[in-house]
Amino acid sequence: MSELTQQSCEACSADAPKVTDEEKQTLGKDVPEWQVVELDGEEQLQRVFKLKNFAQAQAFTNKVGDLAEAENHHPAILLEYGKVTVRWWTHKIGGLHKNDYIMAARTDAAYEEMQ
Ligand SMILES: C[C@H](O)[C@H](O)[C@H]1CNC2=NC(N)=NC(=O)C2=N1
């Protein structure tokens, strides 16, 4: 499990810098299952998680929601039967911050705990 899972989000302001391409490469190594996608012109981290059924997917969704509330940093989550798609990005900077990599790693840890 990456050391990012031990970290918490830092308070992030609208003028916080987006991660550089080099930082994306380095941080991306800790969350290899995640893709960088661009939606509405904003880069986001995305991963699709497979679960046994809807109830498991719902339970995982709630765990991710709890993580988000605890860090005041929130994802987009699509809940489907046996599948949860999570996207992390920082709304106030319109792109990726280190916080999003931290939350992706913590999302992976929550998923591993359910296996
Ligand atoms: C007012 C509140 O603290 C802010 O809107 C927080 C809430 N959660 C957030 N979540 C994400 N992903 N990005 C943000 O910029 C953000 N800002």
Side-chain angles (χ1 to χ4, degrees), residues 2-115:
S2 95
E3 53 95 21
L4 288 178
T5 55
Q6 309 307 315
Q7 297 184 32
S8 289
C9 291
E10 64 189 53
C12 166
S13 58
D15 58 357
K18 292 183 182 129
V19 287
T20 63
D21 287 344
E22 189 179 351
E23 287 168 327
K24 278 182 225 169
Q25 290 296 320
T26 307
L27 291 165
K29 291 188 174 72
D30 282 327
V31 286
E33 307 286 330
W34 293 74
Q35 282 180 296
V36 176
V37 298
E38 185 169 316
L39 287 174
D40 304 328
E42 298 187 343
E43 285 194 320
Q44 307 176 6
L45 289 173
Q46 176 176 292
R47 181 179 174 184
V48 178
F49 295 86
K50 295 278 190 281
L51 285 304
K52 291 192 189 70
N53 50 44
F54 190 81
Q56 288 291 307
Q58 189 177 14
F60 176 59
T61 298
N62 289 336
K63 281 174 79 99
V64 177
D66 291 344
L67 272 176
E69 272 300 285
E71 294 290 336
N72 189 34
H73 197 72
H74 303 87
I77 304 177
L78 175 60
L79 168 58
E80 300 174 272
Y81 182 93
K83 192 169 143 182
V84 175
T85 303
V86 182
R87 288 187 281 115
W88 289 103
W89 78 105
T90 300
H91 312 155
K92 59 172 70 76
I93 67 172
L96 289 173
H97 184 275
K98 183 178 180 185
N99 287 345
D100 300 300
Y101 287 86
I102 289 168
M103 295 309 286
R106 302 218 14 217
T107 304
D108 286 347
Y111 181 67
E112 294 311 316
E113 278 167 27
M114 289 189 69
Q115 299 316 299

